Amino acid sequence: MIKAFETERELGFTAASTLAKQLIQNEKSVIALPTGATPLPMYEALLELIRFGIVDVESAVFFNLDEYIGISPEDPMAYAFYMNKNLFSHVPKVFHRIPKADTDSPEQEAMMYENEIRKAGGFDLCFLGIGVDGHIGFNEPGTPFDSKTHVSDLDPSTVERNSKEFGRKVPKSAITVGLKTIMRSKHIILMATGEEKSAILKEALTGRVDPAVPASILQLHSNLTVLVDQKAGAGLQDQRQ
Ligand code: F6R
């Protein structure tokens, strides 16, 4: 199902409401979260729903999708820092895991992370953004569809783009939840905003299912919701509801 919105704010509210509905139905739900620019309006709306007492996140289990390798969680480039700043420092203590990427053994951390997700029962609801190269999480083009949580070498274009707001280069590798782990989620919400996502979104959702476009695997998910703003959804007119 594809839903198009006039503004990013409306999109964010719908995403946050979907999370609220999930937690109202099952307060112990396991939720996967992305970082980046796209989900910011969702986190803002979610904080409002929490403040109004509409949703309670205390019993939920949150896993982030990815983290850069080799920087401390306190580094402003770290996704741990981002999550704290934009969500978790504003809510009561919750169970939240993000890959520990300031470790000597990222491969081992990736394996442990996968096991923790499995032990938690997998994701009930997984939120995703999409990279302009078609990545989801940090599963870059060419990542096998059967990948579990692993160490990923980032595409130079991803490093370039994600470095822009920091004035220094983000790390070249990351730990990311794999495509198979994402695909096992009971419900996936893919969010995309802005003109720069329009072409890749169309390719991912209507083109060939091919590891060259990692997000194309989402075509095979039985419960996928795509939330777009007008610009990102420009190429998908026929598919929209
Ligand atoms: C980040 C993540 C990435 C981003 C993608 C889009 O945790 O999983 O796949 O969702 O790079 O980033 P933005 O939203 O900044 O365009």
Side-chain angles (χ1 to χ4, degrees), residues 92 142 147-148 213:
S147 58
K148 295 184 177 168
V213 182

Side-chain angles (χ1 to χ4, degrees), residues 33-39 64-66 79 128-131 135-138 161-162 196-197:
L33 297 175
T35 58
T38 312
N64 262 85
L65 288 167
D66 38 27
Y79 287 159
L128 298 173
I130 182 170
H135 70 229
I136 47 177
F138 270 145
R161 186 176 179 276
N162 291 5
E196 63 167 0
K197 301 291 173 66

Side-chain angles (χ1 to χ4, degrees), residues 46 97 108 139 162 218 221 227:
L46 181 61
R97 261 295 256 134
Q108 200 183 337
N139 294 281
N162 291 5
L218 298 174
H221 196 274
L227 307 181

Side-chain angles (χ1 to χ4, degrees), residues 11 22 37 40 44 54 56 67 69 89 98 114 156 168 170 180 186 198 201 205 208 212 226-227 232 234 238 241:
L11 186 157
Q22 174 70 38
L40 286 174
E44 232 173 80
I54 294 166
D56 182 357
E67 177 62 289
I69 289 176
S89 63
I98 186 160
E114 180 70 28
R168 61 192 164 118
V170 299
K180 187 166 187 173
K186 296 194 182 87
S198 166
L201 197 63
L205 297 178
R208 226 172 90 110
V226 183
L227 307 181
D238 301 343
Q241 292 200 341

Side-chain angles (χ1 to χ4, degrees), residues 206-240:
T206 64
R208 226 172 90 110
V209 176
D210 189 316
V213 182
S216 65
I217 187 69
L218 298 174
Q219 290 183 38
L220 304 183
H221 196 274
S222 56
N223 191 10
L224 171 71
T225 305
V226 183
L227 307 181
V228 295
D229 69 354
Q230 300 291 349
K231 288 179 179 159
L236 296 170
Q237 254 91 351
D238 301 343
Q239 279 85 16
R240 287 193 215 163

Side-chain angles (χ1 to χ4, degrees), residues 33-102:
L33 297 175
T35 58
T38 312
L40 286 174
M42 166 172 100
Y43 294 135
E44 232 173 80
L46 181 61
L47 286 177
E48 248 176 56
L49 294 179
I50 295 169
R51 262 183 232 120
F52 291 157
I54 294 166
V55 61
D56 182 357
V57 291
E58 275 170 61
S59 307
V61 175
F62 294 99
F63 285 92
N64 262 85
L65 288 167
D66 38 27
E67 177 62 289
Y68 293 118
I69 289 176
I71 53 175
S72 96
E74 285 82 36
D75 189 313
M77 293 195 303
Y79 287 159
F81 182 93
Y82 168 107
M83 288 311 300
N84 205 33
K85 177 174 167 208
N86 294 304
L87 184 62
F88 291 117
S89 63
H90 308 286
V91 301
K93 201 158 175 48
V94 296
F95 181 93
H96 170 229
R97 261 295 256 134
I98 186 160
K100 290 191 190 82
D102 56 342

